[in-house]
Amino acid sequence: MSSFFGVLVSDPWLQSQFTQVQLRTLKTKFMSVKTSDADNVAIKDLPPVMEQLRGLHEVLSEEEIRNFLSESYPEMNQSIEFEPFLREYLNLQAKGTSKAGGKKKLKGSVSFLKASTTTLMHVINESEKTSYVNHINNFLGEDPFLKNFLPLDPESNDIFNLVRDGVLLCKLINVAVPGTIDERAINTKKDPNPWERNENHNLCLNSARAIGCTIVNIGTQDLIEARPHLVLGLLSQIIKIQLLADLNLKKTPQLLELFADDNSKEAEEVVTLAPDKMLLKWMNFHIKKAGYKKTVTNFSTDVKDGEAYAYLLSALAPEHSSTTMIETTDPKERAKKVLETAEKLECTRYVTSKDIVEGSANLNLAFVAQIFQHRNGLSTNSVAPVQDTPDDVEATREERAFRLWINSLGIATYVNNLFEDVRTGWVLLEVLDKISPGSVNWKQASKPPIIMPFRKVENCNQVIKIGKELKFSLVNVAGNDFVQGNKKLILAFLWQLMRTSILQLLKNLRFHSKDKEITDSNILIWANNKVKESGKTSRIESFKDKSISDGVFFLELLSAVKRTVVDWSLVKKGEDDDEKKLNATYIISVARKLGCTVFLLPEDIMEVNHKMILTLTASIMYWSLQKQGPYEGSGSAAPQEALPEEEEEVEEEEEEEEVEDGVSFGM
């Protein structure tokens, strides 16, 4: 393992609030609190140090800080770790901003705080709020729980009150991507307590990550407080994912018609086109056939005059269109005629004529997506979708997991299709720099778009070089293998990268034994010990143990780390596939409800995908150790205390993983 050059924070949102310089400074201050005879930092010792921190100095007194901390930690003698310390620091800066009335700029305060703690910096888009409320009323109006609160008045701020308990957002995620959340895990009390609300928001945010939302600068407290700009931003992403769900070749193979005359477009690029880009391609396909001379490149300035919409509707619904819609020269008048025509297709939920003229990008995208859903104008000839082999299905699931994991890290590049987007090497370099800060030589890297192929090879060669420094197994693997899009090698590399990230996070929690590496067997032994100490008898021999498929072991593990989190009346015996799937779905939602960020699917548990099983176990272990401290008490024996015979046995089994194409898949 190469040396670690920066301070790693497990939560991407939290990491994004600070520079590495700030993190190193704060880490030094934090560790300075620890007394020579103590293993941990006590909360009672923090106020004098925090009072001197930038952003708090001269704003909050030591006594005010002490009183604030005592609200969250009534027992001031208890220990606190670095990440909770960072969160308290951010909370105190927010309190300082509030105390200063939002007028005094706190020296050294984080930019997000200035955005998130005052509504003066954010003007709420009333049109977007109205549009999203209409969407919610339409899709959730008959929900057994929410129908008691819906419909909402689009003109009011009731939407912000309703999101505070977390139920609405969880339900909306399930509308966008059905089956993401096991609704049995949602706390649907009429008046939930603060812990139940927090669990719902954990479930919401972790599930939002799992469907592809970019969760940056937003946490559970933001949802509890219903900060309007953050709530609307999250609603926008969830609704967008729902509206664009069919804009891919698997769901709508007729989209191939758009590329029939485009000889320059390679088949793989067609498959990997982002949904919003596919929507633009679809729109241009129809308006070009209708005689429109321009190319629409965005959903804002290019559609403000309404002319493109007039041609689109004339092509798709000639029976409802009139020539005056195109001939009208006044943009406002044309926008009204466009909506009159769209109303006949029941496609006016998301925009008003004002939104069109003002070029509201989010609402115009939603408008076009709704038109696509109601009438896409593509050939009615049946096009057989590509049939996936079992290997393709597993690769697709792993591609999904790694893609979502990368997007959760908060890197600058958003990955739409893993196999295509990593071929330049740039995304992999961004991830490596996040996992091992300082490891990438950016002077020798080329940023996309990259015209010259050898620049991609140079990027990927540096990826391989860093991978070897991190002790990855990369025998006979070259950068050109990634440039060529070798799926097996890309997945194998990303598995090693994800696994390294997980083990680093666990190792960083064990500050009293950092010289020892965390291994897969340590995680396995911890999980077995945890279940045993809770009084249960389940046990697994490895992460490939077939008994995992019924889900009982993980439900007992989750119950062991938090006794009340599993409702055992909902648990099945796992005797058939239906019961196994119910348990697996429940496991994933309960883990996310706790606060674990996991990207596996129920099938990964049912089929015992050992890679995803390891990530799930490690995520639960990480959450448990964060909450309880590193291996404290009789209920958390340190992995290094495990019997050597047991550890050796596990390691030997893990080493039996298949080695193919020069890469060990089992790491």
Side-chain angles (χ1 to χ4, degrees), residues 345-618:
L345 297 176
E346 299 181 351
C347 295
T348 58
R349 183 181 305 127
Y350 298 103
V351 291
T352 63
S353 58
K354 180 172 178 285
D355 299 324
I356 294 176
V357 173
E358 292 182 352
S360 174
N362 287 337
L363 299 184
N364 277 297
L365 181 146
F367 177 49
V368 179
Q370 191 182 22
I371 295 173
F372 174 86
Q373 290 179 343
H374 281 73
R375 188 173 295 194
N376 62 38
L378 299 175
S379 173
T380 56
N381 296 330
S382 59
V383 180
V386 178
Q387 296 297 318
D388 290 330
T389 66
D391 286 343
D392 290 334
V393 171
E394 184 174 353
T396 300
R397 289 211 305 261
E398 291 194 3
E399 184 274 342
R400 171 194 171 278
F402 294 140
R403 168 170 46 83
L404 294 171
W405 170 67
I406 290 172
N407 287 333
S408 76
L409 296 175
I411 64 173
T413 304
Y414 186 85
V415 178
N416 284 297
N417 183 281
L418 185 72
F419 297 126
E420 185 65 28
D421 293 348
V422 301
R423 290 173 63 178
T424 66
W426 182 263
V427 169
L428 295 175
L429 290 173
E430 286 186 289
V431 175
L432 284 164
D433 195 52
K434 199 79 174 180
I435 303 304
S436 181
S439 61
V440 177
N441 185 344
W442 291 109
K443 292 182 179 179
Q444 295 179 3
S446 300
K447 185 175 183 179
I450 301 174
I451 306 299
M452 305 300 292
F454 75 91
R455 295 294 185 192
K456 299 179 184 179
V457 176
E458 286 178 346
N459 281 354
C460 291
N461 282 341
Q462 185 176 180
V463 168
I464 298 295
K465 175 177 176 290
I466 297 170
K468 290 178 177 178
E469 291 172 356
L470 292 170
K471 308 301 182 186
F472 290 2
S473 178
L474 296 167
V475 181
N476 297 327
V477 180
N480 195 52
D481 293 318
F482 292 173
V483 177
Q484 296 300 318
N486 187 311
K487 293 183 179 181
K488 282 190 175 181
L489 297 183
I490 289 170
L491 290 175
F493 181 85
L494 284 168
W495 164 237
Q496 296 183 78
L497 195 54
M498 178 189 260
R499 179 179 173 276
T500 296
S501 173
I502 292 168
L503 297 183
Q504 275 187 353
L505 293 175
L506 289 170
K507 181 183 176 183
N508 289 341
L509 284 182
R510 299 169 66 210
F511 55 82
H512 64 291
S513 57
K514 275 191 175 179
D515 292 337
K516 293 187 178 181
E517 298 294 331
I518 289 277
T519 65
D520 296 2
S521 60
N522 294 148
I523 300 170
L524 180 66
I525 295 167
W526 174 86
N528 278 325
N529 284 347
K530 204 71 179 169
V531 171
K532 181 180 178 181
E533 289 157 6
S534 71
K536 302 293 184 180
T537 58
S538 294
R539 177 183 177 79
I540 58 174
E541 298 302 322
S542 74
F543 294 119
K544 297 186 290 184
D545 192 320
K546 295 302 181 184
S547 68
I548 291 172
S549 66
D550 65 15
V552 173
F553 176 81
F554 276 107
L555 289 165
E556 291 184 350
L557 177 59
L558 288 163
S559 181
V561 298
K562 187 174 182 181
R563 184 177 55 81
T564 59
V565 77
V566 175
D567 183 347
W568 286 100
S569 67
L570 302 175
V571 176
K572 307 299 180 182
K573 293 181 179 180
E575 294 177 343
D576 56 39
D577 286 347
D578 289 339
E579 290 190 347
K580 288 178 180 179
K581 186 159 189 177
L582 284 170
N583 282 352
T585 305
Y586 189 53
I587 288 166
I588 294 170
S589 289
V590 170
R592 288 174 179 157
K593 181 177 175 178
L594 273 181
C596 302
T597 302
V598 292
F599 302 108
L600 76 170
L601 292 171
E603 291 78 7
D604 292 316
I605 297 175
M606 296 170 64
E607 298 170 13
V608 193
N609 180 328
H610 68 278
K611 298 175 187 177
M612 296 299 109
I613 295 297
L614 170 59
T615 64
L616 173 61
T617 313

Side-chain angles (χ1 to χ4, degrees), residues 128 131-132 134-136 138-139 172-173 175-178 211 235-248 251-252 255 274-276 278-279 282 299 346-351 361-374 376:
E128 289 194 11
S131 176
Y132 301 155
N134 287 335
H135 180 95
I136 290 166
N138 183 69
F139 284 96
L172 192 62
I173 287 171
V175 170
V177 183
I211 65 171
L235 286 173
S236 174
Q237 290 192 72
I238 296 171
I239 292 171
K240 179 180 176 182
I241 287 170
Q242 177 187 342
L243 293 175
L244 299 181
D246 292 338
L247 277 147
N248 59 76
K251 292 284 187 69
T252 314
L255 286 168
D276 55 337
M278 187 73 83
L279 188 62
W282 169 81
F299 293 106
E346 299 181 351
C347 295
T348 58
R349 183 181 305 127
Y350 298 103
V351 291
N362 287 337
L363 299 184
N364 277 297
L365 181 146
F367 177 49
V368 179
Q370 191 182 22
I371 295 173
F372 174 86
Q373 290 179 343
H374 281 73
N376 62 38

